[in-house]
Amino acid sequence: NIEKGMDIFYLHSTQLTQLSCHCIYTFPIALRYNARFNPIKVNYDECFVLPMIKINEKDGGIFDGGREILENIVKTRMNLDLFENKDILTQMIEKSGGCIWDLFRLIKESAETALDFERGAISEDDYNFAYDGIKADYEAQIAENVEKGYKVEDYYAALVDCANDKTKQPKASDIMLDLRNNLSVLNYNGTDWSDVHPVIRDILTEKGHLGDDNNRPES
């Protein structure tokens, strides 16, 4: 929430910066792209945007380096033999868009389903069940915003524009701030470029907003 972010990090900046210790604060990503960010920034020593781990190039081509990083992150936390085949993890990485939160959510929910069926490893069915759940959640959050006066169609139009934009530098509109804030649009390489979440891209394609040729390749 932008207003709450302003209240905490601007109106109460004195209290936050007078603590006699080293502190790291996190703030809503939408606040970073808000016109009022500069007055907030001057009150703190450093400000960083932590981008998603890039798994695709700007043109949609596969970026192996980012995928290897994510695989190694998973490998340090679990035995990869807990996947029936490596392709399942590859699909999870692809659909996460480089968002570690979504990657581990897919793994966690897949593992819980596997346990429910007393399977010793995560199967393709387990992954598909977890993916459908995340997709339903993302689709549900693209909803009419009565307070701001935005319709569902307004958000979908902005997502389509972002997906089709070759520069991957969407305009800093209020609608785009909402989409960044709910992770429908992900940021890569700091402030360099952004793209729609792969799950959102699937939703756009299924609804006929994008052609099949707009889907990102899977390895």
Side-chain angles (χ1 to χ4, degrees), residues 78 92 102-115 122 130:
M78 64 182 290
M92 289 181 174
D102 280 343
L103 174 58
F104 278 95
R105 182 180 168 191
L106 283 167
I107 294 173
K108 177 179 179 293
E109 295 187 8
S110 296
E112 289 176 349
T113 303
L115 288 172
I122 294 171

Side-chain angles (χ1 to χ4, degrees), residues 117-131:
F117 286 92
E118 299 182 345
R119 286 191 274 266
I122 294 171
S123 69
E124 190 79 26
D125 287 342
D126 300 325
Y127 158 69
N128 287 332
F129 184 82
Y131 168 77

